[in-house]
Amino acid sequence: MGLLERPQGIQVASPVSRLREHRRHHTTSYKSSDHLIQKQKGRRQKSKRRSMDMGRRLWLARVPAVATTMVVMLSLSSSLCVSAAARAGAGTAGAVAEPQRHPVVLIPGAGGNQLEARLTEDYKPSSLVCRVWPLVRGRGGWFRLWFDPSVLVAPLTRCFAEWMTLSYDADADDYRNTPGVETRVSDFGSTSTLRYLDPNLKLLTGYMNTLATTLEKKAGYEEGRDLFGAPYDFRYGLAGPGHPSQVGSAYLQRLRLLVESACAANGGRPAILVAHSLGGLFALQLLARSLPQWRAAHVRRLVTLSTPWGGSVQEMLTFASGNTLGVPFVDASLIRDEQRTAESNLWLLPTPKVFGNTTLVVSRSHNRSYSAKNMTQFLRDIGFEEGVEPYRARIRPLVEALPEPGVPLTCLVGTGVDTVESLVYGDGGFDEDPEEVVYGDGDGTVNLASLVGPIKAWSDSPTQVVEVVELPRVSHSGMLNDKSALEQIIRIVDSINFNATSYYQSS
C-alpha cells in the first residue's frame, strides 16, 4: 500500500443528483460473486522479468498498541440507543431540510495512522545514536515513531527497526514490544492522526484526509460531532479462539466504546463504519465477536475499502526478501527482520481458503514451491522459524473461518491494476530479490481473489446483505483519494442519512 502518495484533487457531485443518477455508478449487487471470479480467471496474466518495484509496501493491516492516553467512553446498552433513535425519529417526523446523520467511524489500514514511542532505562540500543535520537522529544519523552522521514536516513534506519520490532513471548502466548520501548496511539476518537502520517509533511503523507474532508464538505459531517477516527498500533493483530491478544483485544474494546458513544451522541442512530485495508479485518472481528442485538443497535452498515479478506501474495515478498519502500541505501534485510516480527503481517499472508494449492512462490535454491497450504514450510525456508508456531496456532485458526459481518456490507474493490500473483527466487535464495514476478488482477496490493472471493459465502446467506462496487484502475491506496471511490462512499452515506433506498438490490 503506497501510503506516501500525494492527495488527489476531488470533485464530487451533489448528494441529490447522486441519488437520482445512481445508474451511472459501476456497481454490482448480487447473491453470488461468481462473475467477478470468472472475470479474474479470464484476465490474461502479465509476466515480467524485472526487479520488483520496492515502492509498493504491503502495510495492509497491523493492530493498535495500548495507548497511554485513554479517551473515556460512555458504554450504553443497545436498548438505550434504539429508544433514543426512536425518539429522535418521532421528533423530526415530516422534517425535510436536514438529514438525520448517522455517525461515521473511520478505521485505517496498516501504517495508516501516527504511532508514538518513548524509551525507558530498559532499552538496550545497538548504538549511541539510537539512545539519543530524536534529539527533540515531547512531554514525557514521547516522539513520533511512525511516520518520521528521518528514519529513512540509513544510519537511523536500524534505530527505527529496533523500536518497531515485536517479539513473540511463547510462555505468555502473545506479542510484546522490544524491552524498553513503549508505544501509544494518541487522539483516539479523533481523525487527526490518520489524516496525515506526518503533520509537517502534509503534501507527502496524506492518508485519510481527502476522505474525511469529503465527508465534511459534501455530506455535512463535523469532526468530534458525528465524524470519528479509530487509530491503532498496526503492528499487532488478533488471534484465533483460546489464544490471548492483549493489544488487539484492547483495541476492539476501545472501538466498541467509541461506536457506542458515537451512537449515543447522535440521537441513538447506529454508526457507519468505513474501514480501509486491514481495518476491515478488525471491523469484521468486532462485529463477529458482538451479539446480534448489539450489532443491530450500533452499526448501520460496514463499508470496506480494499480489504484483504484472504491475505495477499505481496506479503510473501515482504517476508521473503523485505521491502524498502524504494528508499535507496536502506538495508532490505534489516527492514525485513522488523517486518517479519509484526503480528499483523502474519495475519495478511495468503489464506488456504482463498488461494488453495495454487503455487505462489518458487525457490530454485530450495528446489521447492510454496502455496498457502504449506505456509509453515515457507516460513522455515526463509529462515523465520520463530514465526512458525504463532502462525500455526494463532493465525491459521483465525483465518480459516471468515464469519459474516451480521450487518449490511458494502465492499469497494479496485480492479485492473497489476498485482503480484507469484514470485520466483533464483539460486541466491531469499536474500536476493525475486528473479521473476508474475502479475495478475487486483488493486496493486491485494489480489482480486482475496478482495471478492470470500464474499461469495456471505452473499449466499439469506440474512446477509452484500453489495460489491468494482472500481476499474483504482489502486489500493488510491481508494482513499479517487473521485469515483469518494462518490461511492458519499452515495452510501447519503442513502442512509436521507433514509433513501440505495440502488443495490438484495433480492
Side-chain angles (χ1 to χ4, degrees):
M1 176 168 102
L3 293 179
L4 308 184
E5 294 184 2
R6 185 183 300 270
Q8 303 294 319
I10 56 172
Q11 295 179 352
V12 182
S14 69
V16 175
S17 63
R18 185 173 303 100
L19 289 172
R20 289 177 178 172
E21 300 179 13
H22 57 260
R23 288 186 176 85
R24 292 185 180 180
H25 298 287
H26 181 54
T27 183
T28 307
S29 282
Y30 58 91
K31 278 296 193 179
S32 168
S33 57
D34 288 342
H35 71 291
L36 287 178
I37 303 299
Q38 293 303 321
K39 179 180 291 186
Q40 177 206 17
K41 291 180 179 178
R43 282 174 175 154
R44 181 172 57 88
Q45 293 182 344
K46 300 177 182 178
S47 177
K48 305 173 184 178
R49 280 187 180 272
R50 64 187 186 194
S51 21
M52 192 53 201
D53 175 9
M54 302 309 287
R56 291 180 181 171
R57 164 76 197 269
L58 180 62
W59 283 104
L60 289 176
R62 307 176 178 185
V63 143
V66 179
T68 305
T69 349
M70 290 293 293
V71 178
V72 179
M73 299 294 177
L74 176 62
S75 178
L76 299 176
S77 67
S78 298
S79 59
L80 178 57
C81 274
V82 172
S83 61
R87 290 195 301 271
T92 58
V96 178
E98 187 68 17
Q100 295 295 305
R101 293 185 187 85
H102 290 248
V104 168
V105 178
L106 301 179
I107 307 174
N113 57 258
Q114 298 172 34
L115 181 65
E116 295 182 348
R118 70 176 176 185
L119 309 177
T120 71
E121 293 180 355
D122 294 330
Y123 173 55
K124 307 299 182 186
S126 59
S127 68
L128 179 61
V129 173
C130 296
R131 166 60 73 181
V132 301
W133 190 266
L135 300 177
V136 179
R137 305 183 188 186
R139 180 177 300 177
W142 291 97
F143 60 92
R144 189 173 59 255
L145 175 59
W146 178 260
F147 172 76
D148 188 314
S150 65
V151 302
L152 300 179
V153 179
L156 300 175
T157 304
R158 179 176 295 277
C159 304
F160 171 74
E162 288 181 6
W163 301 333
M164 291 286 286
T165 295
L166 299 182
S167 61
Y168 175 65
D169 184 338
D171 293 334
D173 186 25
D174 207 351
Y175 281 80
R176 301 283 186 265
N177 276 357
T178 294
V181 178
E182 297 178 355
T183 53
R184 72 178 184 183
V185 176
S186 62
D187 293 334
F188 185 82
S190 167
T191 65
S192 61
T193 63
L194 47 84
R195 288 179 183 254
Y196 305 99
L197 303 183
D198 184 343
N200 300 315
L201 292 172
K202 292 183 176 181
L203 289 178
L204 296 176
T205 66
Y207 180 64
M208 276 188 161
N209 181 63
T210 302
L211 171 57
T213 300
T214 300
L215 287 167
E216 292 168 336
K217 292 184 177 180
K218 301 299 182 180
Y221 278 84
E222 181 180 324
E223 168 82 26
R225 181 192 68 188
D226 45 26
L227 179 61
F228 306 92
Y232 55 92
D233 188 334
F234 42 82
R235 301 169 302 160
Y236 288 88
L238 293 170
H243 295 273
S245 184
Q246 182 180 353
V247 175
S249 298
Y251 173 67
L252 290 189
Q253 179 61 15
R254 300 183 79 196
L255 179 56
R256 179 189 302 277
L257 293 174
L258 176 62
V259 171
E260 290 176 357
S261 64
C263 165
N266 287 273
R269 290 180 291 279
I272 304 169
L273 306 184
V274 180
H276 182 233
S277 193
L278 175 63
L281 297 181
F282 276 105
L284 176 64
Q285 289 299 319
L286 170 69
L287 295 169
R289 301 179 187 198
S290 300
L291 295 174
Q293 297 91 330
W294 187 92
R295 295 196 296 261
H298 295 96
V299 179
R300 177 65 181 84
R301 181 174 286 265
L302 171 61
V303 181
T304 61
L305 318 174
S306 308
T307 291
W309 303 112
S312 170
V313 177
Q314 187 171 320
E315 189 71 3
M316 297 182 77
L317 170 69
T318 299
F319 273 86
S321 49
N323 196 323
T324 64
L325 294 173
V327 179
F329 312 119
V330 172
D331 185 350
S333 64
L334 178 63
I335 296 298
R336 177 188 64 185
D337 292 343
E338 175 269 318
Q339 291 167 338
R340 287 177 175 180
T341 70
E343 180 185 19
S344 57
N345 277 341
L346 285 175
W347 195 5
L348 295 171
L349 286 168
T351 67
K353 189 170 184 177
V354 171
F355 292 90
N357 287 314
T358 301
T359 296
L360 305 176
V361 174
V362 173
S363 173
R364 294 197 180 106
S365 65
H366 293 84
N367 193 28
R368 185 175 284 139
S369 62
Y370 309 90
S371 72
K373 289 193 173 183
N374 66 341
M375 193 63 69
T376 53
Q377 185 64 55
F378 169 75
L379 294 174
R380 287 191 180 95
D381 287 353
I382 64 173
F384 188 48
E385 181 69 35
E386 56 268 40
V388 172
E389 183 59 20
Y391 174 81
R392 185 199 64 79
R394 295 168 57 87
I395 301 301
R396 179 157 283 182
L398 180 68
V399 301
E400 280 180 346
L402 206 61
E404 59 186 53
V407 301
L409 170 69
T410 297
C411 299
L412 271 62
V413 300
T415 64
V417 182
D418 283 352
T419 305
V420 177
E421 198 159 86
S422 65
L423 304 161
V424 178
Y425 285 85
D427 296 333
F430 294 114
D431 289 331
E432 299 180 359
D433 289 340
E435 288 186 350
E436 183 178 357
V437 178
V438 177
Y439 294 90
D441 201 357
D443 65 9
T445 295
V446 184
N447 310 89
L448 183 61
S450 177
L451 290 167
V452 302
I455 301 171
K456 183 181 186 304
W458 297 340
S459 60
D460 290 339
S461 169
T463 59
Q464 179 63 57
V465 176
V466 177
E467 177 189 21
V468 172
V469 181
E470 209 184 338
L471 299 171
R473 306 303 304 171
V474 176
S475 70
H476 191 76
S477 58
M479 189 67 70
L480 298 172
N481 302 298
D482 181 81
K483 177 183 176 182
S484 61
L486 294 170
E487 286 179 339
Q488 288 291 335
I489 295 169
I490 295 298
R491 183 268 304 173
I492 297 163
V493 171
D494 282 349
S495 69
I496 294 173
N497 290 338
F498 285 95
N499 199 26
T501 301
S502 183
Y503 58 84
Y504 74 87
Q505 300 296 325
S506 59
S507 57

